[in-house]
Amino acid sequence: MPNLLNRISSMFGYDALEPNGRRKKTSRHVYREDFHTRGNKHRGLQENAADLVRNLSLAGWMVRRHLDYVAQFEFHGRNDNDELNRQLEALMAEDARPSRCDVSGRFGREKMFRLAEARRVLDGDTGLVKLRDGRLQGIQADLLRDPDKVPANEQWINGVLVNGFGRPLAYGVHKRKGYSATEFTRRVNVTNMIHYGFFDRYAGDQVRGVSPLVSALNPLRDVYENFSFALAKAKVSQLFAMAFYRDSQDSVMPVEADADQGSLDADVDGIEEPRGFQAFMKSDTRYIDLNPGEKAEVIESKQPSTEFQNFTALVIQVALKSLDLPFSFYDESHTNFFGSRAAWLHYERSCKDKRDDQIEMRRNYTQWKLQQWIAGGRLVLPAGVLPSNVRFEWVPRGMPFWDPSKEIRGHVSAIKAGIDTPQRICRSTGTDYFDNVDAIQKAIQYAEEKGVPLEFAMQEDKPEATDDAS
């Protein structure tokens, strides 16, 4: 009776818990995410992604397109004091130069943050060490490792010292020796490191980042290998380009036997072998020896086949979804204008969460720079303004109008109706409303000095004339 009840209850349970041999059986244990990417496994994922970017242009393009939308920002002061805003923006522009940003003097600030985004996409996470002189030192994921000697009372997880709640306390930073060896250098306190990565679990379950690109590594690897196989097969199919048909015992173009070869009676049975056909192809000679009634068809190249191309496109579509990229970005002819715009709007929505990570990283950097500017005397705050009260904003670069004449009229109508603002519209198109107004003011003053009239307001459309029915 109990067995019968168990069988009946299992019939109305979750099918996902009963694979019944139809699919791979999953583990009954739930592990912290770092268990699956611990040690060499994390570095294996890192090298796999790096190899694909080196050899498969599609993988590199996916990363670059992601960076174009996620890692481009502009800094703006947002205080009531215009002079303070100008000072902040001037100092931020000055420290953006490679010599004042990167410890190696190679990358400017924006390039540095773009590179940090690229490393977290390919490696899962990365580190930016904040140095005393105001510059940054980039640390790749495989250089964050446990120290050689770990005290018994410390808990290290794949290069990160954590407390009982999984909160990072310090990082074990290594340096390279030669081409592949590493050597421990120092511990870096959490306040001096910007740890930037993809995190999808709570702190107690994930300390190191894991990129969403991991789910696309195998499909991209298949595309890369299948391209090579398809190309090799297509090359083989091009080796034959002629067809010869033979119905008679003698060839149309008899081949004279060489004096050294003697008779064509190769098997010495008293019967001469049928003479083959001879074709001349450039400087080389190719022979096809046919018996009467046989024929050699032209081997036409149908490689790669249509089915192969369609399946490859499907695999690429699946791989692009790992970074939420629309297929129309890859194949511009895939859809029409409205389909492309709809896909782009959905992709813009998906970028917000990733941009928020960039903004948080940049906010950490900005607060650190504010402290340095004030301590070094480069920035003097107005009376009554505390460093914590200084307001600023990192604005992502937007996209220009797709159809300016229609979109601008729509935006003007939305502003008049009170359902949108000039600030938000300018931000979505990659400009700043306040900078625009200041620049327009200067343009008007300059035009007045030169006696040139300017008109910025839109002309209202005149209503079309209609015949009076009366």
Side-chain angles (χ1 to χ4, degrees):
M1 189 67 177
N3 293 334
L4 178 61
L5 293 176
N6 290 335
R7 286 197 299 269
I8 294 175
S9 63
S10 66
M11 294 175 60
F12 300 98
Y14 291 102
D15 290 343
L17 296 175
E18 303 295 336
N20 295 327
R22 291 171 294 182
R23 59 189 63 86
K24 180 181 178 181
K25 185 176 180 180
T26 58
S27 173
R28 302 283 182 175
H29 301 283
V30 178
Y31 298 94
R32 61 179 300 148
E33 196 65 20
D34 296 300
F35 173 82
H36 302 289
T37 58
R38 61 193 185 279
N40 290 330
K41 292 184 178 181
H42 190 277
R43 292 185 281 275
L45 291 174
Q46 179 181 349
E47 180 53 33
N48 191 358
D51 180 71
L52 283 171
V53 170
R54 279 193 293 265
N55 296 289
L56 181 62
S57 59
L58 171 62
W61 170 84
M62 289 173 57
V63 176
R64 291 191 300 272
R65 181 60 66 226
H66 168 87
L67 299 180
D68 291 340
Y69 279 86
V70 174
Q72 296 187 10
F73 287 79
E74 291 182 351
F75 176 82
H76 295 281
R78 293 300 189 216
N79 302 279
D80 296 334
N81 190 320
D82 293 337
E83 179 60 28
L84 176 59
N85 292 333
R86 283 191 288 270
Q87 289 185 40
L88 291 174
E89 293 172 3
L91 287 171
M92 191 62 72
E94 183 179 354
D95 284 5
R97 300 199 306 269
S99 60
R100 302 186 67 94
C101 178
D102 181 18
V103 67
S104 67
R106 179 179 300 171
F107 303 114
R109 185 195 61 237
E110 290 307 305
K111 183 68 174 181
M112 197 78 171
F113 287 150
R114 180 183 174 94
L115 186 58
E117 181 68 32
R119 294 331 309 172
R120 81 158 179 165
V121 170
L122 295 173
D123 306 339
D125 60 7
T126 189
L128 294 175
V129 180
K130 296 180 286 187
L131 304 177
R132 292 182 180 180
D133 60 2
R135 294 182 297 174
L136 296 172
Q137 179 184 3
I139 307 296
Q140 286 208 165
D142 64 303
L143 295 180
L144 294 178
R145 303 189 183 190
D146 296 347
D148 298 332
K149 297 180 180 180
V150 177
N153 61 338
E154 293 184 350
Q155 181 183 5
W156 285 82
I157 297 178
N158 208 9
V160 183
L161 174 63
V162 298
N163 62 12
F165 301 99
R167 185 183 182 89
L169 302 176
Y171 301 89
V173 176
H174 289 61
K175 68 177 182 180
R176 300 214 185 275
K177 291 182 61 179
Y179 287 103
S180 60
T182 60
E183 180 182 51
F184 176 73
T185 57
R186 67 191 186 280
R187 296 188 183 194
V188 176
N189 191 281
V190 66
T191 58
N192 296 326
M193 169 85 83
I194 301 176
H195 188 203
Y196 186 62
F198 285 102
F199 303 97
D200 298 319
R201 296 240 193 144
Y202 298 122
D205 277 341
Q206 184 179 4
V207 176
R208 297 297 303 271
V210 179
S211 171
L213 189 65
V214 169
S215 62
L217 292 181
N218 282 344
L220 289 174
R221 179 69 60 183
D222 293 336
V223 170
Y224 173 57
E225 293 177 353
N226 288 340
F227 277 172
S228 300
F229 295 150
L231 182 60
K233 192 173 182 180
K235 288 182 177 179
V236 170
S237 67
Q238 300 301 320
L239 294 177
F240 301 96
M242 296 183 181
F244 297 93
Y245 298 85
R246 182 172 186 179
D247 293 325
S248 64
Q249 293 291 334
D250 297 327
S251 65
V252 177
M253 298 175 61
V255 180
E256 298 294 338
D258 294 338
D260 296 338
Q261 294 179 350
S263 174
L264 293 177
D265 185 8
D267 52 3
V268 197
D269 58 358
I271 303 176
E272 291 187 355
E273 298 295 329
R275 296 180 178 181
F277 284 75
Q278 180 177 355
F280 294 93
M281 302 172 65
K282 293 185 178 180
S283 60
D284 298 330
T285 303
R286 298 290 184 265
Y287 294 93
I288 299 180
D289 191 7
L290 302 178
N291 293 321
E294 292 181 343
K295 59 183 179 180
E297 296 281 0
V298 171
I299 302 179
E300 183 180 357
S301 175
K302 296 182 180 180
Q303 304 298 330
S305 65
T306 303
E307 292 79 6
F308 171 80
Q309 296 179 52
N310 292 337
F311 181 73
T312 300
L314 177 61
V315 175
I316 291 175
Q317 283 181 313
V318 173
L320 292 176
K321 297 304 180 185
S322 65
L323 296 180
D324 302 319
L325 292 168
F327 188 69
S328 57
F329 281 14
Y330 169 76
D331 183 4
E332 292 81 358
S333 64
H334 175 67
T335 184
N336 55 22
F337 170 81
F338 298 101
S340 297
R341 179 157 173 77
W344 172 76
L345 290 174
H346 285 293
Y347 178 64
E348 273 285 304
R349 177 66 60 86
S350 73
C351 287
K352 183 182 183 306
D353 180 65
K354 303 159 192 170
R355 288 171 178 164
D356 287 344
D357 292 340
Q358 272 270 330
I359 291 174
E360 186 58 36
M361 174 179 63
R362 292 166 181 267
R363 181 181 293 115
N364 187 325
Y365 169 82
T366 305
Q367 291 172 344
W368 171 58
K369 297 299 290 186
L370 280 173
Q371 295 173 359
Q372 286 199 327
W373 294 337
I374 295 173
R378 299 176 64 191
L379 175 64
V380 179
L381 296 179
V385 178
L386 299 176
S388 58
N389 296 333
V390 176
R391 292 182 296 174
F392 56 87
E393 184 181 16
W394 287 98
V395 180
R397 294 184 185 175
M399 285 284 288
F401 293 114
W402 291 60
D403 191 343
S405 60
K406 294 181 181 179
E407 292 184 80
I408 292 174
R409 292 181 186 278
H411 287 316
V412 170
S413 299
I415 294 172
K416 290 181 178 179
I419 59 178
D420 212 334
T421 64
Q423 294 93 322
R424 186 159 47 234
I425 292 172
C426 289
R427 186 182 295 111
S428 67
T429 57
T431 63
D432 182 77
Y433 174 75
F434 302 101
D435 290 346
N436 292 346
V437 172
D438 293 340
I440 291 173
Q441 181 185 22
K442 294 179 181 179
I444 292 176
Q445 292 176 350
Y446 182 78
E448 289 177 350
E449 294 175 359
K450 298 296 183 180
V452 178
L454 294 180
E455 183 176 354
F456 291 97
M458 294 179 57
Q459 296 291 333
E460 296 292 339
D461 291 335
K462 297 181 179 180
E464 296 181 1
T466 58
D467 296 334
D468 191 0
S470 57

